[in-house]
């Protein structure tokens, strides 16, 4: 797919602001957890660009191939912590809002593993990656991870 529009050229100030806030939000929690959330939401949304970027960045942050490969079946895979499972369950619900997913059990798991502040942070992280997924898929963006600076790369989906 070729790019339809470069949003950074079309609205540079807003995209710079979006990138800055995205980075700040993502840096508010542990990188491994953020990486799992970014990958899972990108899988659900079918965003090849974000999957490509965030699997590379997750590996750079020490994530294993096994955990990356099993992420699509995280409910059945024994390699995720209870905290990660709660985050992934909340990611599923927040990413699939239009599907009417059952939120109560996911929220109870979230409450058991995350403080109120962390719940807000995680929800913002999920919102950020869903936003990047929509920008990348909507405009046909493809970014080579080797061309992105490591700190900016985490949000330059």
């Amino acid at each position: 797919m070729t790019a339809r529009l470069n949003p950074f050229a079309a609205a540079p100030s807003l995209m710079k602001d979006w990138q800055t806030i995205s980075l700040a939000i993502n840096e508010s929690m542990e990188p491994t957890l953020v990486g799992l959330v970014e990958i899972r939401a990108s899988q659900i949304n079918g965003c090849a660009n974000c999957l490509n970027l965030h699997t590379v960045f997750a590996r750079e942050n020490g994530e294993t191939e096994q955990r990356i490969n099993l992420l699509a079946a995280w409910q059945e895979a024994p390699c995720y912590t209870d905290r990660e499972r709660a985050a992934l369950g909340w990611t599923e619900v927040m990413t699939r809002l239009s599907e009417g997913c059952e939120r109560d059990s996911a929220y109870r798991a979230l409450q058991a593993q995350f403080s109120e502040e962390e719940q807000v942070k995680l929800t913002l992280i999920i919102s950020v990656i869903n936003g990047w997924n929509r920008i990348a898929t909507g405009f046909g963006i493809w970014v080579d991870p080797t061309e992105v600076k490591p700190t900016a790369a985490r949000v330059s989906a």
Side-chain angles (χ1 to χ4, degrees):
M1 169 189 264
T2 58
R4 295 179 179 96
L5 174 98
N6 178 345
F8 290 93
S13 179
L14 286 173
M15 289 306 296
K16 183 178 183 216
D17 291 346
W18 172 244
Q19 192 167 27
T20 299
I21 193 67
S22 295
L23 182 59
I25 289 168
N26 284 357
E27 288 181 346
S28 72
M29 294 194 83
E30 58 268 32
T32 53
L33 184 70
V34 173
L36 292 174
V37 166
E38 289 171 331
I39 295 166
R40 184 63 191 130
S42 298
Q43 288 174 334
I44 294 167
N45 289 321
C47 184
N49 179 71
C50 294
L51 280 168
N52 186 50
L53 288 174
H54 296 296
T55 55
V56 168
F57 303 146
R59 286 181 194 98
E60 290 174 358
N61 283 324
E63 193 55 79
T64 67
E65 288 298 316
Q66 178 190 40
R67 286 167 42 94
I68 291 170
N69 292 338
L70 290 173
L71 200 48
W74 65 269
Q75 293 100 333
E76 292 81 29
C79 56
Y80 303 103
T81 67
D82 289 343
R83 182 173 169 87
E84 291 166 340
R85 289 179 181 287
L88 292 168
W90 194 239
T91 301
E92 298 266 339
V93 166
M94 292 291 98
T95 302
R96 295 182 163 158
L97 282 174
S98 67
E99 296 175 26
C101 295
E102 209 294 316
R103 287 190 287 270
D104 290 343
S105 61
Y107 188 66
R108 283 191 299 276
L110 183 74
Q111 287 179 303
Q113 296 296 321
F114 292 86
S115 70
E116 288 182 352
E117 180 181 4
E118 289 174 323
Q119 291 173 43
V120 172
K121 289 177 180 181
L122 181 62
T123 303
L124 288 170
I125 290 165
I126 295 164
S127 298
V128 165
I129 190 58
N130 277 287
W132 280 116
N133 290 166
R134 281 142 182 80
I135 290 167
T137 58
F139 296 123
I141 295 171
W142 183 260
V143 178
D144 184 336
T146 62
E147 296 175 5
V148 181
K149 293 180 186 174
T151 55
R154 298 202 9 81
V155 296
S156 294

